[in-house]
Amino acid sequence: MKFQSFVNLAFALAASLLFSACGGGGASGNPNQGGPISAQPGNNGTFYAGEPGLITFSGGRKPYALTSSDSGILPVPPIVDGYSVEVIPNNPGVVDTGLGPNDLQVRTITLQVRDTTGISVNFDVKVAQNFVTGYRLQFTATTCPPPAAATTTTITPCAGSDTAVQLAATVNGARHGNEAFRLEVVRGQFAFYTPDSSTGVISNSVTVVSDHEGKITAVIRVPAGVPSQIAIVRVVHIGTGASQEQVFTITGASTAPLTLTAIPNDFTFTGPDANACGTGSGDFFVFDGAPPYSAVSSNPGVSVDAVSPSTQPGRFRVTVGNGQTCANKAPVIVTDSQGNRVTVTVSSVRGAAAAAPPALAVAPNTITLVCNSSGSVSVVGGTGAYSVASSHPRVNATVSGHTITITRLNGDGATVYPPSASISVTDGATAQTVTATVPANCP
């Protein structure tokens, strides 16, 4: 009887082991199957936004029901038919209260896991803001004058200044050095100026590399004369595309009127002659003040176009296109965003009077002809519109272009004529004379 009881007990133990090995009532990989439920990471475990995280379970009986106190930040599947699940948190926009500016910016989320028998347990995890979020922009040095009442040491950019800006760069919650970041102007009248800008070129974006401490450093330049304003800068982690926008204040210039400078400030276009006014175009630049600039002409014959009105300096183009109407110091009024102004004048004048034509001249001014013969004389100068006349009834003269042809005619019969003739050449204003020696009679 005792032997039979021992055999029965042994058989029961073997069956139990076999059933357990085959997964009955539990599963492999869960050594605490059926016992208290636990999860890893446990309380105060930390996940980083955008990065996969693993939650593992032990105890209880699967499948597990899983819920999140904030599914917008930490979404989880409702049922987990296994002992682990991968989650990807979102970046929290609101973090836990009481955190300092240098603390890891986290949001605490409560997860509840419940097994098929109804046993449940709650545990907290923290979701940390990731990449370049949650770290304060700092200004470390500036060329701005110190405030009149030195009650604060806070540095803020001001009109007409260079100011160093620094940001602690983080990736996956840790500060990373030697990584590329891009700083961009989102709003405000400022631009970036970096040490390698040896030519003085500034732009609305600049790429910088973090140092070994994970800090980004750049210099922003604010034009002179800009008003007080809210400015926004965007920081982009080039490797991931993650970005953050930071807001700061630019202290504006004095409200006293500013002096704008236009170079050049006077244009004169000259016509080709006394019958036409000058035409043409030219560019001028506007310095100082607060861009953007605008310009308007009060003369309908003078137009002005904005080439680059929002830069410092601004650039404009004046044009005079009507050669029939002259302009005398026509004003072009240039203003900036604060109402400061400067005047550029434009004139269109006629050209110089036409030069007097060269004097009328003939060559040669004497000629000898025989009966029934012709000779030529050249005429130049004057207005070019020539006419000729002969004083001799038997000497004929004609003009073509710059050539005068003189002919002694035949057919005098027995009549004797004077032995010389005067040929008058005129352009309507002045006259010259050619003397022709001719026979007294040509039968």
Side-chain angles (χ1 to χ4, degrees), residues 326-396:
C326 293
N328 182 23
K329 298 291 184 180
V332 173
I333 310 299
V334 183
T335 57
D336 70 354
S337 61
Q338 294 184 2
N340 304 295
R341 65 180 180 269
V342 65
T343 301
V344 176
T345 57
V346 180
S347 298
S348 172
V349 300
R350 298 182 185 276
L360 181 67
V362 292
N365 59 3
T366 61
I367 189 172
T368 300
L369 300 174
V370 298
C371 292
N372 197 31
S373 68
S374 297
S376 297
V377 174
S378 296
V379 57
V380 295
T383 63
Y386 308 117
S387 61
V388 294
S390 173
S391 65
H392 196 292
R394 302 303 293 166
V395 175
N396 188 29

Side-chain angles (χ1 to χ4, degrees), residues 10 28 58 75 80 93 99 177 182 209 262 304 357 374 385 397 420 430 433:
S28 61
S58 65
V80 179
L99 296 175
R182 185 172 63 254
V209 177
V304 57
S374 297
S420 67
T430 59
T433 300

Side-chain angles (χ1 to χ4, degrees), residues 169 171 175-181 208-211 216 237-240:
V171 178
R175 296 186 178 186
H176 278 214
N178 197 33
E179 298 210 11
F181 292 80
V208 295
V209 177
S210 58
D211 63 15
I216 304 168
H237 181 243
I238 294 179
T240 62

Side-chain angles (χ1 to χ4, degrees), residues 45-110:
T46 301
F47 293 133
Y48 289 95
E51 293 295 310
L54 188 67
I55 303 174
T56 60
F57 308 107
S58 65
R61 295 181 181 276
K62 69 169 187 175
Y64 301 99
L66 188 59
T67 58
S68 168
S69 63
D70 191 340
S71 58
I73 300 299
L74 184 56
V76 295
I79 300 296
V80 179
D81 191 14
Y83 301 110
S84 65
V85 62
E86 185 177 84
V87 295
I88 301 179
N90 297 313
N91 246 330
V94 178
V95 297
D96 293 347
T97 59
L99 296 175
N102 294 320
D103 293 335
L104 184 62
Q105 306 297 293
V106 297
R107 174 77 173 272
T108 300
I109 307 295
T110 299

